[in-house]
Amino acid sequence: MTYDSEDIEQILQKALARKDKGEFSREQLLEMASELGISSNILETTEQKWLAQQEEERYRHRFNTFRRRAFWSNFVSFLAVNLFLILLNLITSPSYFWAIFPVLGWGLGIFFHWWSVYQSKSEDYEIAFQKWRTQI
């Protein structure tokens, strides 16, 4: 009996779903692969690619966390400083609302910072990620 790649994937997914608790050992994985006619070389290559992909996902998660923390730090500073400026404006010259200018200017910067942090599908994101990754 022979299996195509879709059959193998479905069989392995069902085997994983039926496993009540615990994890498969590497020996069990090798045994399942050999029973399905998958050579150890193919399995090892696939496993290495999978491990590299998992590591890449962990790095991206750390990078996204780093960027989001930086954004929220900037946002808290924006709120604190601009609330102070609004209060100062209301105390010193309530007839002219000059505090709107720093609020709008910095607010525009905050918006673009937010946009760059939460857009993870752009070329700029990839460039920033690669630069960050070389620095860690």
Side-chain angles (χ1 to χ4, degrees):
M1 181 172 229
T2 60
Y3 299 101
D4 63 12
S5 60
E6 188 175 319
D7 292 337
I8 292 170
E9 183 178 340
Q10 289 176 0
I11 291 168
L12 289 175
Q13 283 178 350
K14 287 181 182 183
L16 288 171
R18 294 178 76 180
K19 184 109 173 102
D20 292 333
K21 59 184 175 179
E23 298 178 351
F24 288 113
S25 67
R26 188 151 199 297
E27 291 78 28
Q28 289 172 316
L29 178 63
L30 288 169
E31 184 180 319
M32 284 189 286
S34 68
E35 287 176 3
L36 294 170
I38 300 171
S39 72
S40 60
N41 290 340
I42 291 174
L43 183 65
E44 189 171 323
T45 303
T46 305
E47 182 182 24
Q48 292 302 320
K49 286 180 184 178
W50 181 79
L51 289 171
Q53 190 176 27
Q54 293 298 106
E55 183 179 5
E56 179 83 7
E57 287 178 23
R58 281 192 298 277
Y59 277 122
R60 286 190 186 275
H61 179 72
R62 284 178 52 200
F63 176 63
N64 290 337
T65 301
F66 168 77
R67 287 170 44 111
R68 289 178 180 148
R69 284 185 182 157
F71 167 75
W72 285 107
S73 173
N74 191 2
F75 185 72
V76 167
S77 298
F78 165 79
L79 288 178
V81 169
N82 284 295
L83 283 174
F84 171 76
L85 290 177
I86 290 170
L87 287 174
L88 183 66
N89 182 187
L90 293 175
I91 291 169
T92 60
S93 56
S95 60
Y96 179 67
F97 191 57
W98 54 263
I100 191 70
F101 299 111
V103 169
L104 290 177
W106 197 349
L108 187 62
I110 286 287
F111 171 76
F112 285 121
H113 189 183
W114 171 82
W115 185 263
S116 72
V117 166
Y118 288 94
Q119 288 285 37
S120 60
K121 303 290 186 221
S122 68
E123 186 175 323
D124 292 336
Y125 173 84
E126 285 300 319
I127 291 169
F129 174 69
Q130 295 304 328
K131 183 178 178 182
W132 175 83
R133 190 160 179 192
T134 60
Q135 292 175 353
I136 58 170

